Amino acid sequence: MTIQTVSTNKSYGGVQGVYRHASQATGTDMVFSVYVPPHADGTKLPVVWYLSGLTCTHANVTEKGEFRKACAELGLIFVAPDTSPRGPDVPGDANNAYDFGLGAGFYVDATQEPFARNYRMWSYVTDELPKLVAENFPVDAKRQSVMGHSMGGHGALTVALRNPHRFRAASAFAPIVAPSLVPWGIKALTGYLGPNKDAWRNHDTVALIEDGAKFSGFLVDVGEADNFLKEQLKPELLEAACTKAGIPLTLRRQAGYDHSYYFISTFMSDHLHWHAARLTA
């Protein structure tokens, strides 16, 4: 699989790149970013996958996430894919809503028309892109972790729970932990997967835990001033599910912080140090 280099910039001694490739999973061109820290030739490095939230592309965290200094110090590759397929022939929301369609792929493989052809973000982020990155960057495939924000927090936690032997760590900022129960998730899962709620459970963190999925532990930060906290995020449901299942959860409620990248960038270094401790153990 070949990639096209869109841009590269030196940062903290490493290279921040943006790349494009033709995706078989989505049937579209996809853009993603990769930061490779300074390292000795021939060294294989641990990789952190970052899944972004509603309305975002790869660019939001790349430009606002403030992850490069920590990644350079810790020796972590940081990969940020897009959140959905894009292009003139890709169907979006009929009303141009922000929470469905373009920019709102929810990291599922859609089964409903007209979305089933392109909206295959689960396959993209768990299969196609990891293979592509491994072929083109100095990744140690045995040392991987995943993190995300909001819709991407939903994606990161579900990816980890369904692939516990692949990922050593998982964390999230303001994740949608029970999409089957909140407006954002109900709209997206109905639209992509249909009305049968049994089909939703594989893409619902709380439901996966209830159904027996396990993981070594999670770090989750939420802002107490987040406008979406009570209606859409409901971290207390994750807390209850993890407690019942015996899954270690560090849930930090950060006073005064909202849903934005000001919040994410503030605690990004904490998360990366947490990941590095597990990736290098």
Side-chain angles (χ1 to χ4, degrees), residues 21-30 51 81-86 90-91 100-131 151 154 159 162 188 191-193 203:
H21 74 110
S23 168
Q24 294 181 356
T26 68
T28 66
D29 281 356
M30 295 293 285
L51 305 184
D82 202 345
T83 52
S84 76
R86 301 178 191 273
V90 176
F100 188 74
L102 301 179
F106 266 82
Y107 304 101
V108 305
D109 282 354
T111 59
Q112 303 300 297
E113 298 300 336
F115 305 103
R117 183 181 59 146
N118 303 118
Y119 285 78
R120 297 182 51 79
M121 290 302 295
W122 180 268
S123 291
Y124 182 69
V125 301
T126 64
D127 183 35
E128 184 178 26
L129 187 59
K131 290 177 180 177
M151 178 186 74
H154 137 76
V159 164
R162 290 174 60 182
Y192 294 134
L193 302 179
H203 294 285

Side-chain angles (χ1 to χ4, degrees), residues 55-89:
T55 76
C56 292
T57 69
H58 71 283
N60 296 74
V61 70
T62 304
E63 296 170 2
K64 302 176 184 177
E66 299 183 19
F67 56 85
R68 279 172 287 271
K69 185 174 187 291
C71 284
E73 293 171 351
L74 298 167
L76 302 175
I77 292 176
F78 191 97
V79 183
D82 202 345
T83 52
S84 76
R86 301 178 191 273
D89 298 324

